[in-house]
Structure formats: C-alpha cells, structure tokens
Amino acid sequence: VHRLRSVDNLFVVVQEFKEYQFKESKEDALKDLEDLVKKLSWTDPLKVWELNNSLKKKKTRRKKPNPQSPASKERLSGDGGGEGAEQKDTGKQDCAPDAAGVEPASSQDAGERRGVAPQNGGEEEEEEDSEQCDAREESQAGGQSTAGGDAGVLRFRVTCNRAGEKHSFTSNEAARDFGGAVQEHFQWKADMTNFDVEVLLNIHNNEVVVGIALTEESLHRRNITHFGPTTLRSTLAYGMLRLCDPQPTDIIVDPMCGTGAIPIEGATEWPSCYHIAGDNNPQAVKRAANNICSLLKKKENKESSTSSGIPLDIIQWDICNLPLRTGSVDIIVTDMPFGKRIGSKKKNWDLYPACLMEMGRICTPGTGRAVLLTQDKKCFAKALSRMGHIWRKGQTVWVNVGGLHAAVYLLKRTWERAEEKRAFW
C-alpha cells in the first residue's frame, strides 16, 4: 500500500463509528471519548503498525547500511507490541518515501498532515467546502516526554482532525483528553515530536474514526525537494496524468510546469512516454531542473550504477508562443494559474483563451487531450466557450487544493484545424 500513487497518508483503522452520538455538554462529550479508549480493540491494528515498522527498518538497512543505526533499541508495547521507528535517522530524510515507499522520512511536517487520505476527486467536496471550511480544525495532543525516558516504553501522540459545527469541544480538547486516556491505558509516554506511534482521532460531523498512522511523512512529497509558492502535490499530479490515460510513445507537455511536479511524476510513472516541461519564469525553471537532478541522483543511488536518465526535458518559453510543431503533442497536462499567489483574476481573462488557443494548435486534432487544473472556474468556462471549436469538455473532477475548491477538466481536441501564428520549421 505504500506504493499507491494517489494516496497522501496511510493509517490502519482501529474502529469506525458512522453515527456517533455526542453528548450536548462539553464535559460529557469529552468523558465519552476518554471511555472509548478502553472499549476499542487495539491488538490487531498495533500488529499491523509493528509489521509496517519492521518492514521499514529492514528496507532502510538494505538500501543504506548505517553502522551507527541503533538497531538494538527496539521498544515493545504490552498490548499488541511494536518496534519503534529509528528516530535518529528520521531527521536526515528530505524527501518522502521512494517508489518502494518504505524509507522512513522526516516527521517535521506532521503539523500539515491529515490522518485521512484526502479525496482528490468527488462531487461531495463541494458541499463540505462551503459549509464546514470554517469549522475544520486540526490539533495534536500529547505532552512533554520525560527526559531520558525508559527504553522499553513507546512514545506516542494523538492527532485530532475535526470538521463540523455541532461539536461542543475543540480538536485540541478532544486530542488532549483522548490522549490522556491512551496514555493511561497503555502506559506509553506522550511526546509531540519524537513519537513512535501516532494515534489518529478523525471526527467529521457524527462520524468518528480512530486509527494508527502508518506514514511518518505525507506521500505527496515523494519527488519534490525544491518547492515554489504553488507546488502541486505529487498525488494530485498522478491523478491528473492518469485521467488522460497516457499510452506508450505519447508526447506529454506541461506548458506551465512551475517546479515540475506533473512532468516529474509523469516521467517516473510513465517512462515509455516523452515528457516536455516549460515555464516563462526562470526561477521556476531552475527549481524544476533542481528537482530533476535530485530525482536522477536518487535513481543512481538506488541502482548503484550509472543511471539511464529520465525521459524529460525542461525549457523556458512563452505559453502563448510555444516552440513546438502544430499537432505534434498527444497530451497536455498543467496546473493553470489560479490568479491568487501567481498572476491575477484580471490577467486570467486574457491568459486563459490565449493558452487554450495555443494548446489547441500544438495538440493532435481528433486524438489529442488536455487535463487542466484551475480554481478560476468562471474565467475558464468563459474561455472554453470561446474555444468550443477546438476543445470539447469531457469530464470534470472537483478537487480540494490547499482548502480551495478547484476543478480538473478533461478536454478532447476536435478535428478542427487550429490557426497557425507562425511557422517554426
């Protein structure tokens, strides 16, 4: 499961409650959550967590032998047991797990993590976005670990993700009280940073899910080492590429690549296609080039020999005048500027129609397709209506991008010939 490409985080479910009845008063509701800890069956989920940890440790040793690794310091729990992750090595990992998905990674970004892998598509997100965005909270609870804690005792923390308006308590309070009960039940030590076990308490209206995290760092960070202001998650990039169904020998272009998340994911997962990335911002092109270099180094280390490279080139260009032959591209996949951190909504009114026109020119008539992500849906709809002779809308998938309600559009290229601005050859 660590090899799943479209999943941000993994956890094993301890128990799920579809219609959990919360008491009206805060004290009673929190007391119920405390009492819940003793009623849950923790044994099997902890065995899964232990297996997950032991596989991670074996894989790490095989790939990067480290004589200083404290292999002997294994901590076992009394109920279900488990081997503790090797915390000394975790701070050195900059990237998320590789294709094998089992290399331990830094737990520093745990504050941005979500316990449940977000749905990158689905109509139901539209309702949640409008009604519950303000009520969404995330919190971790634990406490400070005792200095020089016992080697045989596991360290833990509780992370609570809460969404909904009808709760009498905050996520902080739920995590604190639930965490206290977990500590009492297992006699573990609470530690917010150097934890072995992360217990997840996900509350969404009347649905409650208790789980144990299997990923230390979100899987969406797997390919990117140099981030820009709007770097796309690798998981979402994978979903967009998969939507356009790449075939061997296809030429896939990302004309507004930013830091290169989409083409790098494409070159990694679809190596039989040829990927071209470009951007008009020299800083973005530099970051994307650095990300490609990091990926090549990682590949060389993994293969312990000279790497054959990856089928990807990056170019600085103007989106409205692409140096590509008319009808030479099979697929276009890109994250268009939302007009918030990059560009503006006003500029999008001119940019979007010009982009669609130029993309239509380079895309193969009849068989070409494009997958485009944008949050500026009104502007995109207007631009698409003007380009209806070149592009036909096939499918729309709603996605949540950093709390913004955005859409991924699958477009099919019509047989109509596009206007040629100038001949490159």
Side-chain angles (χ1 to χ4, degrees), residues 1 4-10 117-118 120 218-220 222 235:
V1 291
L4 292 170
R5 302 286 84 189
S6 57
V7 172
D8 278 19
N9 293 291
L10 299 168
N120 280 342
S218 185
L219 300 179
H220 79 264
R222 57 180 170 260
T235 44

Side-chain angles (χ1 to χ4, degrees), residues 20-38:
Y20 190 90
Q21 297 303 313
F22 288 102
K23 298 279 173 60
E24 282 187 30
S25 80
K26 184 199 287 189
E27 290 74 18
D28 291 345
L30 291 172
K31 182 74 172 67
D32 274 2
L33 286 175
E34 277 185 54
D35 294 342
L36 191 61
V37 172
K38 294 172 188 168

Side-chain angles (χ1 to χ4, degrees), residues 212-231:
I212 297 172
L214 300 180
T215 43
E216 292 169 20
E217 184 182 50
S218 185
L219 300 179
H220 79 264
R221 298 167 66 94
R222 57 180 170 260
N223 293 329
I224 306 298
T225 51
H226 296 74
F227 290 83
T230 59
T231 299

Side-chain angles (χ1 to χ4, degrees), residues 226-248:
H226 296 74
F227 290 83
T230 59
T231 299
L232 195 68
R233 289 170 172 244
S234 297
T235 44
L236 184 49
Y238 174 83
M240 289 171 67
L241 283 153
R242 191 173 169 185
L243 196 61
C244 57
D245 189 24
Q247 298 300 311

Side-chain angles (χ1 to χ4, degrees), residues 160-175:
C160 177
N161 302 291
R162 188 188 70 84
E165 295 166 356
K166 296 176 181 176
H167 305 126
S168 57
F169 51 86
T170 66
S171 54
N172 262 324
E173 290 165 338

